Amino acid sequence: MTDTATPRRRTRGGGGAARRAERTAVSVETAKYIERNIPNFEVLNEEALQIIETNAETVLAEIGVNFVDSPEALERWRKAGAEIDGERVRIPRGLARELCKTAPSTFTQTARNPERSVEIGGKNLVLAPVYGPPFVRDAEGGRRYATMDDFDKFVKLGYMSKWLHHSGGTVCEPTDVPVNKRHLDMLYSHMSLSDKPFMGAVTEPSRAQDSVDMCEILFDGLDGRTVMTSLININSPMTFDSIMMGALEVYARANQACIISPFIVGGAMAPVSVAGTLTQVLAEVLAGVAYSQLVRKGAPVIMGAFVTSIDMNSGAPTFGTPEASHITYGAGQLARRLGLPYRSAGSFCGSKLPDAQAAYETANSLNMGLLSGVNFMLHSCGWLEGGLVASFEKFVMDADQLGTLHHFAKGVSMDENAQAMGALREVGPGGHFLGCEHTQENFKTAFWRSDLFDYKPFETWADEGERDTVSLASARVEKMLGDYQQPHLDPAIDAALRDYVRTKKESMPDAFS
Amino acid sequence: MTDTATPRRRTRGGGGAARRAERTAVSVETAKYIERNIPNFEVLNEEALQIIETNAETVLAEIGVNFVDSPEALERWRKAGAEIDGERVRIPRGLARELCKTAPSTFTQTARNPERSVEIGGKNLVLAPVYGPPFVRDAEGGRRYATMDDFDKFVKLGYMSKWLHHSGGTVCEPTDVPVNKRHLDMLYSHMSLSDKPFMGAVTEPSRAQDSVDMCEILFDGLDGRTVMTSLININSPMTFDSIMMGALEVYARANQACIISPFIVGGAMAPVSVAGTLTQVLAEVLAGVAYSQLVRKGAPVIMGAFVTSIDMNSGAPTFGTPEASHITYGAGQLARRLGLPYRSAGSFCGSKLPDAQAAYETANSLNMGLLSGVNFMLHSCGWLEGGLVASFEKFVMDADQLGTLHHFAKGVSMDENAQAMGALREVGPGGHFLGCEHTQENFKTAFWRSDLFDYKPFETWADEGERDTVSLASARVEKMLGDYQQPHLDPAIDAALRDYVRTKKESMPDAFS
């Protein structure tokens, strides 16, 4: 049972310095993306699915969606056969679904280390870290605005995390770098501090173009390869803004992947019911994915669904709740019927601290993510306080739990060794299996083991200061950052990337909003 | 959507004092047991199930099981057609399964408050609290030996917990009461401080008989009703001891239900593989349930599976792990094929504290319990430190999370109101659902809401002292115990129970081991 890609990197050109760098690099183990050998859990029956699909077509045909400040997009839709009324686009029944058919059901996102490339779609699950928090928190310093230094640390932690396949995107917002330049530093951080696949900028079409340009440098020409998966949020309900659509257009034209994702707090941006929300999610995704295919047939896309419930007392979004699970399971079924890769779930929680609330909510969400057939799980570690905060401790706590998903997804081996009839005969009634041959041969790989949790005898634990999970996680963060060694990058490429960033930064004044 | 039984108790005889007691009683809401409207998750395919079933028959026929110090049991087995060799019982293929057929697939456990009676089996899930810990822990006092006062508090908390259907059994071991007398106090506690169903004593056949006798008093004669579900552990591997079998015999003869449950730390009491463990679990349950039917055809039983993985570094049992999930899902499939109610899962964790580790592990286990088709979940709240400790804070934390299981199990409503097409038309692109009619009509019941977790704005939370989940839970324990009011019990019955306990206690010297 080998579930990990071999950690050694291949040598690439670069002369003596590169070879020396390679020789001293720490070997970092990264598990292969999850290939499920288990069924999906399906909460909706055929009748329910058909109702939702019919209703979504009704939404598109009769209510329509808005493409705001995007005359080009409206023109594309008009040519495709939609009815345009101001910025409203009404899409005849079946048209959007038909257009979606040219989107691939699975695609490869190439990493600069080819052993870290991921296959997105099918029965696979690729795990990426938290995205977007303006704040960070750690046990020592509490909650504060995120900086570029924090960003680099999260990229390093992601690189060092065995069960994480993807370096992610905006692992936190580096608020100390001007808004119009921070994407350059973030991209350079992912490109130079990690060799896992990553995400591009979406905050302006020009920044998406910068992302593509920098990838051209990093990959020494793209040759049609998909090397980024980027996050295009829909302004739910049913609104597509020109910034996000502009970024989508840049990526689609360059054959780079986008997650097209409704962003919904239930009861606010969608109806306060599971069936109504699923209808809206499907309508929005159909319109968004269809639009990506109007820009370029065959552009790789992922059906996204970011949906939380709401606490109607406080108005706060709530996480790890049963209704969010219903929606996540249902949207997975809709994605598979549409033949698209699916993005949802994550280490979601509303708690302010990485405490028990955070862990209950997160575990609920991670488990549903695995069983609902998610193919790309953004936010799979580090999420805190409704996504406002990236937590260092929670990052390593969640990243450790991701190991349970890998092991559960393997399914149950039924080969002769696993049947263990020899062991049952050898030990018999009243015996003990610890010493038997079968146990000796299998115990090392039989059970998943946390690299973080406390499994010590009570007395040892008490003697060592009664440490809780946060305390263990703080120590682990420190250890991982201490052990971190930068993966090799061709110095010529590194110099060209630095040059690109410097030149771009010098070309415009700083902007902080 | 009413998911709770009406809280008001019926009047029963007892005169003015009883009526006065009833008038002042606080109305305590208890949810009806879960009736699943969702499918089960099935991790094993047909071929795997058949292999395990065939192998289990091989274990019974060729290896056999031991019935220790039980000449009567051996004689019963001999008459039934098994081959007896010393204490070893070899059961011909098919015989145990055939004998199991007379066990009911579902049965009613009657509570003294008929609105709290539960139906065990089918698509139902009944939730009961932690069982067995010799220690208790709370945030203030730390970890210490449990006392009868602690026991009473847990029974009160269970009575006050909306999502808990069952009062349980040994919610903690009252170590300040002699071993040979504590069952009397525990039973009286469940009978007088709660009106939910409960479990009987199993530590000696005579104590099982005391349990039946006290129930005769409480229920004013049993008339064949099942009023207790008790826990009969198998000494895995494949050993049935005379104490547990003696208790089983008492209960079976009185038509009281037993959970017949292998108790397995994987790699120690069973092979270190999922398929091997499932084989052993099935063989043990087949033998145990068949034996119950030899004692009395039709005796209500539950197929149990208490299985944890092991950390081979420390030897500690581990919880919430993927292999434990595989076994729990698989055993559920085997139980359904056998036509028996199924007991497994719980608020399992290895952590010493009710921290994030405890919550991750617990949530993993609770979720798998729901999706694996468990019908009776013992340990569904309060479990800490591998079951050594009953935690007050974790009791209310877990009990709150049990609400998510209720709401998820409802499945997805697809009626016209849930489809919300009117709301989608009313709000349209770019609008907001908070104020729309559909939201106003549905928001109160749309989303599950924790009664414990923090959903407050960051600033409020900070001003209130940055409380974590344990701190919130401590306050909730205090509040619930403060609000507690004893449910009415006929004073004549109460006096008779007290008399029974006193007389029994006076009939024997104290024993502390």
Side-chain angles (χ1 to χ4, degrees), chain A residues 31 34 127-130 154 156-166 196 346-347 362 366 377 379-383 391-406 448-453 473 476-477 480, chain B residues 360:
Chain A
I34 293 172
L127 300 167
V130 63
F154 279 115
K156 290 175 182 177
L157 288 176
Y159 173 69
M160 299 288 285
S161 295
K162 175 176 175 183
W163 307 113
L164 206 60
H165 318 115
H166 205 281
K196 297 185 181 183
S347 59
T362 293
L366 292 179
M377 194 193 290
H379 309 301
S380 70
C381 60
W383 171 288
S391 156
F392 284 96
E393 281 85 7
K394 188 152 181 289
F395 192 100
V396 300
M397 286 156 60
D398 295 336
D400 180 70
Q401 272 293 296
L402 298 178
T404 67
L405 307 188
H406 284 74
W448 174 77
R449 184 185 192 284
S450 167
D451 291 322
L452 170 69
F453 286 172
R476 187 166 165 81
V477 168
M480 287 170 82
Chain B
Y360 283 115

XYZ file of all heavy atoms in Angstrom, chain A residues 31 34 127-130 154 156-166 196 346-347 362 366 377 379-383 391-406 448-453 473 476-477 480, chain B residues 360:
460
model
N 1.580 13.220 -0.140
C 0.715 12.133 -0.585
C 0.179 12.449 -1.977
O -0.036 13.610 -2.328
C -0.447 11.959 0.382
N -6.130 12.153 -3.629
C -6.983 11.018 -3.260
C -7.676 10.449 -4.495
O -8.265 11.187 -5.282
C -8.025 11.457 -2.215
C -7.319 11.815 -0.901
C -9.084 10.376 -1.996
C -8.225 12.436 0.143
N -6.643 18.468 -2.460
C -6.827 19.300 -1.266
C -5.937 20.537 -1.322
O -4.725 20.435 -1.516
C -6.501 18.474 -0.022
C -7.378 17.227 0.162
C -6.800 16.298 1.231
C -8.811 17.602 0.507
N -6.564 21.708 -1.128
C -5.867 22.998 -1.153
C -6.197 23.768 0.130
O -7.263 23.576 0.710
C -6.299 23.788 -2.382
N -5.313 24.656 0.559
C -5.517 25.347 1.843
C -6.509 26.506 1.764
O -7.022 26.857 0.701
C -4.121 25.849 2.184
C -3.456 26.043 0.870
C -4.012 24.980 -0.044
N -6.745 27.114 2.908
C -7.662 28.242 3.078
C -7.314 29.377 2.113
O -6.158 29.548 1.726
C -7.614 28.740 4.543
C -6.236 29.276 4.909
C -8.692 29.786 4.824
N 2.584 30.451 5.523
C 1.529 29.495 5.162
C 1.919 28.687 3.921
O 1.630 27.493 3.837
C 0.186 30.205 4.954
C -0.538 30.499 6.234
C -0.760 31.799 6.646
C -1.000 29.459 7.035
C -1.430 32.075 7.831
C -1.660 29.716 8.233
C -1.875 31.033 8.635
N 4.920 27.883 3.104
C 5.905 26.906 3.583
C 5.215 25.750 4.328
O 5.560 24.584 4.132
C 6.914 27.585 4.515
C 7.857 28.549 3.799
C 8.749 29.273 4.808
C 9.667 30.269 4.095
N 10.483 31.035 5.081
N 4.256 26.082 5.180
C 3.531 25.027 5.897
C 2.799 24.109 4.917
O 2.756 22.895 5.096
C 2.522 25.634 6.890
C 3.091 26.300 8.136
C 1.957 26.921 8.952
C 3.869 25.299 8.988
N 2.221 24.709 3.883
C 1.532 23.904 2.875
C 2.489 22.969 2.149
O 2.176 21.801 1.912
N 3.660 23.495 1.848
C 4.683 22.678 1.177
C 5.095 21.510 2.063
O 5.336 20.402 1.576
C 5.897 23.562 0.853
C 7.082 22.813 0.310
C 7.038 22.243 -0.958
C 8.249 22.687 1.052
C 8.135 21.556 -1.466
C 9.345 22.012 0.552
C 9.287 21.439 -0.699
O 10.373 20.754 -1.201
N 5.146 21.726 3.365
C 5.599 20.706 4.314
C 4.482 19.752 4.737
O 4.740 18.795 5.467
C 6.151 21.394 5.580
C 7.331 22.304 5.353
S 8.832 21.386 4.979
C 9.234 20.776 6.625
N 3.249 20.006 4.305
C 2.106 19.205 4.783
C 1.873 18.016 3.868
O 1.503 18.175 2.707
C 0.836 20.068 4.852
O 0.987 21.078 5.823
N 2.063 16.845 4.412
C 2.010 15.606 3.636
C 0.685 15.405 2.910
O 0.649 14.921 1.782
C 2.258 14.434 4.586
C 2.116 13.068 3.965
C 2.475 11.977 4.977
C 2.203 10.600 4.379
N 2.463 9.525 5.356
N -0.415 15.744 3.567
C -1.732 15.412 3.001
C -2.307 16.534 2.146
O -3.465 16.467 1.726
C -2.725 15.067 4.119
C -2.252 14.011 5.058
C -1.950 14.163 6.380
C -2.008 12.623 4.751
N -1.544 12.966 6.913
C -1.567 12.008 5.944
C -2.121 11.841 3.590
C -1.240 10.654 6.011
C -1.789 10.507 3.656
C -1.360 9.913 4.850
N -1.534 17.574 1.904
C -1.996 18.715 1.118
C -1.354 18.624 -0.264
O -0.129 18.541 -0.376
C -1.571 20.005 1.828
C -2.400 21.251 1.571
C -3.846 21.051 1.992
C -1.797 22.426 2.345
N -2.201 18.657 -1.318
C -1.675 18.434 -2.668
C -1.426 19.720 -3.415
O -0.861 19.704 -4.496
C -2.672 17.595 -3.471
C -3.262 16.466 -2.691
N -4.594 16.390 -2.366
C -2.683 15.386 -2.128
C -4.824 15.295 -1.648
N -3.684 14.687 -1.486
N -1.895 20.822 -2.856
C -2.004 22.056 -3.620
C -1.582 23.202 -2.722
O -1.875 23.205 -1.520
C -3.482 22.218 -4.047
C -3.713 23.049 -5.264
N -3.693 24.415 -5.211
C -3.983 22.708 -6.551
C -3.963 24.887 -6.436
N -4.134 23.876 -7.267
N 4.338 22.719 -5.331
C 3.004 22.172 -5.549
C 2.225 23.100 -6.489
O 2.569 24.266 -6.642
C 2.283 22.033 -4.197
C 2.983 21.053 -3.242
C 2.210 20.803 -1.948
C 3.009 19.841 -1.061
N 2.307 19.471 0.187
N -14.652 22.126 2.991
C -13.443 22.744 3.507
C -13.397 22.651 5.018
O -14.284 22.051 5.632
N -12.395 23.278 5.602
C -12.229 23.210 7.065
C -13.078 24.290 7.733
O -12.615 25.003 8.621
C -10.762 23.363 7.432
O -10.243 24.609 6.955
N -15.550 21.723 11.572
C -14.615 21.350 10.509
C -14.736 19.879 10.146
O -14.791 19.523 8.960
C -13.181 21.672 10.951
O -13.039 23.092 11.054
C -12.158 21.132 9.964
N -15.415 18.386 6.516
C -14.432 17.561 5.803
C -15.031 16.200 5.442
O -14.833 15.702 4.329
C -13.177 17.351 6.656
C -12.304 18.580 6.922
C -11.118 18.200 7.813
C -11.807 19.213 5.625
N -11.007 20.526 -3.124
C -11.462 21.112 -1.866
C -10.556 22.275 -1.480
O -9.478 22.084 -0.944
C -11.492 20.074 -0.745
C -12.277 20.573 0.480
S -12.040 19.558 1.971
C -12.901 18.065 1.517
N -9.876 25.565 0.882
C -10.095 25.791 2.327
C -9.981 24.506 3.149
O -10.588 24.405 4.208
C -11.487 26.387 2.599
C -11.858 27.586 1.805
N -11.124 28.754 1.829
C -12.900 27.837 0.960
C -11.710 29.649 1.052
N -12.767 29.122 0.500
N -9.240 23.516 2.652
C -9.233 22.239 3.381
C -8.448 22.307 4.685
O -8.540 21.390 5.495
C -8.694 21.123 2.486
O -7.317 21.288 2.271
N -7.693 23.359 4.910
C -7.044 23.535 6.209
C -6.798 25.016 6.481
O -6.593 25.795 5.556
C -5.734 22.758 6.293
S -4.496 23.203 5.076
N -6.848 25.377 7.759
C -6.457 26.710 8.194
C -7.576 27.712 8.380
O -7.338 28.801 8.893
N -8.783 27.352 7.969
C -9.926 28.273 8.024
C -10.375 28.495 9.471
O -10.545 27.553 10.223
C -11.058 27.658 7.192
C -12.394 28.313 7.265
C -13.272 28.294 8.315
C -13.060 29.040 6.215
N -14.421 28.966 7.983
C -14.328 29.429 6.708
C -12.701 29.380 4.909
C -15.243 30.149 5.931
C -13.602 30.099 4.135
C -14.856 30.479 4.642
N -5.627 30.594 10.550
C -4.996 30.248 11.829
C -3.823 29.307 11.596
O -3.961 28.279 10.928
C -6.029 29.572 12.735
O -5.402 28.753 13.699
N -2.677 29.665 12.166
C -1.504 28.800 12.024
C -1.733 27.446 12.689
O -1.473 26.400 12.096
C -0.265 29.490 12.615
C 0.278 30.570 11.730
C -0.064 31.896 11.928
C 1.110 30.252 10.668
C 0.424 32.896 11.092
C 1.603 31.240 9.827
C 1.259 32.566 10.042
N -2.241 27.485 13.917
C -2.459 26.206 14.604
C -3.516 25.372 13.879
O -3.353 24.175 13.691
C -2.889 26.436 16.060
C -1.744 26.784 16.993
C -1.417 28.268 16.974
O -2.170 29.043 16.340
O -0.404 28.668 17.588
N -4.602 26.012 13.468
C -5.654 25.218 12.834
C -5.177 24.671 11.490
O -5.617 23.597 11.072
C -6.941 26.035 12.678
C -8.104 25.158 12.204
C -9.444 25.673 12.661
C -10.561 24.764 12.188
N -10.787 24.837 10.733
N -4.281 25.400 10.824
C -3.741 24.908 9.562
C -3.134 23.520 9.752
O -3.448 22.582 9.016
C -2.686 25.896 9.038
C -2.249 25.657 7.618
C -2.773 26.419 6.586
C -1.306 24.693 7.311
C -2.366 26.220 5.264
C -0.886 24.478 5.998
C -1.423 25.247 4.971
N -2.281 23.366 10.759
C -1.629 22.054 10.929
C -2.575 21.033 11.562
O -2.464 19.835 11.293
C -0.313 22.167 11.734
C 0.660 23.093 11.021
C -0.541 22.615 13.160
N -3.537 21.497 12.366
C -4.539 20.566 12.914
C -5.382 19.975 11.780
O -5.551 18.753 11.679
C -5.446 21.313 13.908
C -4.783 21.636 15.233
S -5.511 23.061 16.126
C -7.186 22.515 16.360
N -5.910 20.843 10.942
C -6.731 20.372 9.816
C -5.896 19.523 8.853
O -6.353 18.477 8.381
C -7.308 21.563 9.037
C -8.287 22.396 9.844
O -8.883 21.864 10.799
O -8.454 23.586 9.511
N -4.691 20.012 8.555
C -3.846 19.294 7.591
C -3.571 17.876 8.070
O -3.478 16.940 7.268
C -2.540 20.055 7.363
N -3.458 17.703 9.375
C -3.284 16.363 9.937
C -4.547 15.523 9.727
O -4.471 14.361 9.312
C -2.961 16.492 11.429
C -2.766 15.153 12.107
O -1.742 14.503 11.812
O -3.613 14.759 12.912
N -5.712 16.110 9.982
C -6.979 15.389 9.799
C -7.199 14.962 8.357
O -7.900 13.985 8.080
C -8.157 16.262 10.229
C -8.497 16.160 11.704
C -9.041 14.787 12.062
O -10.098 14.389 11.596
N -8.306 14.064 12.885
N -6.625 15.688 7.412
C -6.800 15.322 6.002
C -6.271 13.904 5.742
O -6.693 13.249 4.790
C -6.104 16.339 5.088
C -6.653 17.776 5.178
C -5.859 18.701 4.258
C -8.143 17.827 4.835
N -5.380 13.437 6.602
C -4.913 12.051 6.489
C -6.048 11.051 6.648
O -6.052 9.997 6.001
N -7.032 11.375 7.491
C -8.158 10.437 7.670
C -8.941 10.289 6.363
O -9.435 9.212 6.065
C -9.128 10.881 8.795
O -9.798 12.083 8.409
C -8.385 11.112 10.109
N -9.029 11.373 5.585
C -9.761 11.285 4.311
C -9.027 10.351 3.345
O -9.646 9.546 2.649
C -9.923 12.670 3.676
C -10.531 13.782 4.542
C -10.808 15.020 3.690
C -11.811 13.334 5.221
N -7.696 10.496 3.284
C -6.911 9.620 2.410
C -7.143 8.148 2.758
O -7.370 7.318 1.887
C -5.420 9.923 2.552
C -4.971 11.175 1.865
N -5.254 12.429 2.337
C -4.246 11.371 0.732
C -4.727 13.344 1.537
N -4.106 12.721 0.547
N -4.390 4.368 10.342
C -3.948 5.747 10.259
C -3.578 6.236 11.652
O -4.210 5.902 12.644
C -5.058 6.635 9.699
C -4.680 8.085 9.739
C -3.845 8.750 8.894
C -5.120 9.057 10.698
N -3.725 10.063 9.263
C -4.501 10.281 10.368
C -5.957 9.005 11.800
C -4.714 11.449 11.099
C -6.171 10.156 12.528
C -5.546 11.366 12.173
N -2.549 7.059 11.714
C -2.079 7.597 12.987
C -1.877 9.086 12.810
O -1.220 9.528 11.871
C -0.760 6.911 13.316
C -0.182 7.285 14.645
C 1.180 6.678 14.896
N 1.507 6.853 16.299
C 1.901 8.007 16.822
N 2.048 9.061 16.062
N 2.151 8.107 18.123
N -2.419 9.870 13.697
C -2.205 11.315 13.662
C -0.751 11.629 13.968
O -0.124 10.986 14.803
C -3.101 11.980 14.708
O -2.701 13.319 14.912
N -0.205 12.626 13.279
C 1.140 13.111 13.601
C 1.089 14.239 14.631
O 2.122 14.821 14.964
C 1.835 13.636 12.337
C 2.158 12.513 11.373
O 2.536 11.428 11.835
O 2.024 12.722 10.145
N -0.101 14.539 15.099
C -0.270 15.711 15.961
C -0.917 15.363 17.303
O -0.498 15.864 18.352
C -1.158 16.729 15.229
C -1.661 17.921 16.042
C -0.497 18.844 16.384
C -2.727 18.686 15.273
N -1.930 14.521 17.271
C -2.765 14.305 18.447
C -1.982 13.648 19.584
O -0.963 13.013 19.386
C -3.960 13.424 18.086
C -5.029 14.122 17.294
C -6.082 13.402 16.765
C -4.994 15.483 17.077
C -7.086 14.015 16.026
C -5.988 16.120 16.344
C -7.039 15.369 15.821
N -0.233 21.922 18.470
C -0.188 22.470 17.108
C 0.811 23.628 17.023
O 1.525 23.762 16.023
C -1.587 22.935 16.682
N 4.082 22.203 16.586
C 4.239 21.604 15.257
C 4.482 22.676 14.185
O 5.283 22.483 13.274
C 3.000 20.774 14.914
C 3.139 19.974 13.631
C 2.036 18.912 13.531
N 1.935 18.381 12.179
C 2.733 17.435 11.691
N 3.675 16.915 12.444
N 2.585 17.005 10.449
N 3.790 23.804 14.298
C 4.022 24.913 13.366
C 5.489 25.331 13.422
O 6.169 25.456 12.393
C 3.114 26.120 13.707
C 3.547 27.364 12.938
C 1.654 25.795 13.418
N 7.768 22.661 11.874
C 7.690 22.570 10.413
C 8.397 23.756 9.762
O 9.099 23.598 8.760
C 6.227 22.491 9.960
C 5.586 21.131 10.255
S 3.786 21.121 9.986
C 3.711 20.892 8.211
N -12.717 16.717 16.833
C -12.499 16.090 15.515
C -12.867 14.601 15.602
O -13.600 14.078 14.775
C -11.027 16.157 15.095
C -10.480 17.459 14.580
C -9.496 18.147 15.292
C -10.865 17.978 13.354
C -8.929 19.321 14.812
C -10.305 19.155 12.861
C -9.340 19.827 13.595
O -8.785 20.975 13.117
